[in-house]
């Protein structure tokens, strides 16, 4: 972490912030990323990126749906190795912030069990103009789904479940060490090896 970065931890939540700005007389972070096992707070995330210089705020909430591939889903379970996952999320958020000249960005992902209809990921970006905000929000989400080390288990009605990468339809198998940390490396289908369940 850079010297301006801060990390806040509680029993079930870890947030990492970087940079500061003053918005409406209050000091706020420029970049916020977080992992939590608690329900996500939509209003808090929106308020976190609000800024008088922002002409646009784009907000995305990914929610648990009740089916996958025509199979009824009872809930999703997300797993991660927080130190690695937060580092990757911070890098992505910082790159998106710079690329799109954003004022602020927040990226929060839920871990553990997420029931049907509840949010598993929140992305909020603030920019001077709507075009940059739209592009940044979508790009951030796609890169997160592609690169962030979060895995989900789709729990189907009836008890069976499948571990997948945190993107549509990708199963997992294979484990590799990256910077001395164990992470899932291959995406070829199947069950997640026990060594890869890191959360």
């Amino acid at each position: 972490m850079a010297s301006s970065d801060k990390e806040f931890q509680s029993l079930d939540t870890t947030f990492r912030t970087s940079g500061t700005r003053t918005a409406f007389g209050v000091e706020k972070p420029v970049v916020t990323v977080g992992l939590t096992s608690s329900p996500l707070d939509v209003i808090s995330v929106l308020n976190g990126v609000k800024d008088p210089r922002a002409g646009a705020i784009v907000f995305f909430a990914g929610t648990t749906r009740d089916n996958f591939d025509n199979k009824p889903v009872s809930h999703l379970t997300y797993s991660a190795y927080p130190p690695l996952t937060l580092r990757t999320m911070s890098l992505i958020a910082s790159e998106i912030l710079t690329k799109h000249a954003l004022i602020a960005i927040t990226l929060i992902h839920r871990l553990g069990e997420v029931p049907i209809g509840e949010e598993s990921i929140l992305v909020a970006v603030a920019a001077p103009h709507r075009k940059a905000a739209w592009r940044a929000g979508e790009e951030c989400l796609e890169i997160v789904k592609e690169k962030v080390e979060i895995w989900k288990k789709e729990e189907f009605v009836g008890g069976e479940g499948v571990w997948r990468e945190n993107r549509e339809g990708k199963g997992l198998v294979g484990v590799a060490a990256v910077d001395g940390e164990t992470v899932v490396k291959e995406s070829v289908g199947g069950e997640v090896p026990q060594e890869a369940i890191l959360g």
Side-chain angles (χ1 to χ4, degrees):
M1 283 191 306
S3 61
S4 65
D5 294 356
K6 296 179 181 156
E7 190 164 293
F8 308 92
Q9 285 188 310
S10 68
L11 188 59
D12 65 350
T13 304
T14 303
F15 286 102
R16 186 175 286 176
T17 65
S18 64
T20 58
R21 63 195 164 87
T22 301
F24 305 107
V26 177
E27 193 166 292
K28 295 182 177 186
V30 175
V31 174
T32 303
V33 298
L35 297 170
T36 183
S37 60
S38 296
L40 301 180
D41 185 346
V42 171
I43 300 301
S44 174
V45 169
L46 279 171
N47 286 336
V49 298
K50 281 187 177 180
D51 192 288
R53 298 169 295 154
I57 293 175
V58 168
F59 177 80
F60 173 83
T63 58
T64 302
R65 63 178 175 262
D66 66 358
N67 69 85
F68 181 82
D69 251 357
N70 296 318
K71 286 181 156 180
V73 171
S74 64
H75 65 276
L76 299 178
T77 302
Y78 289 92
S79 182
Y81 179 62
L84 179 62
T85 303
L86 286 167
R87 182 173 64 207
T88 303
M89 291 170 70
S90 294
L91 289 171
I92 291 168
S94 294
E95 288 172 8
I96 295 292
L97 178 92
T98 301
K99 179 178 180 180
H100 295 281
L102 300 177
I103 295 166
I105 183 169
T106 296
L107 172 56
I108 310 294
H109 206 294
R110 189 161 167 193
L111 299 178
E113 187 175 310
V114 182
I116 302 300
E118 290 191 19
E119 295 80 13
S120 56
I121 185 170
L122 301 179
V123 178
V125 300
H129 304 285
R130 70 179 179 272
K131 196 174 200 179
W134 278 117
R135 288 182 176 162
E138 182 176 25
E139 185 176 337
C140 182
L141 178 66
E142 295 306 321
I143 293 172
V144 165
K145 290 184 78 66
E146 178 184 334
K147 294 185 176 182
V148 172
E149 304 85 359
I150 294 177
W151 301 276
K152 70 179 173 183
K153 184 175 186 184
E154 291 173 335
E155 302 277 357
F156 299 110
V157 173
E160 63 181 299
V162 177
W163 280 101
R164 301 183 189 279
E165 284 182 87
N166 194 16
R167 45 188 139 161
E168 296 302 314
K170 302 286 185 182
L172 293 174
V173 69
V175 176
V178 176
D179 295 331
E181 298 171 334
T182 303
V183 296
V184 172
K185 189 67 176 167
E186 292 182 57
S187 173
V188 294
E191 289 288 316
V192 174
Q194 189 63 35
E195 300 91 340
I197 302 171
L198 305 169

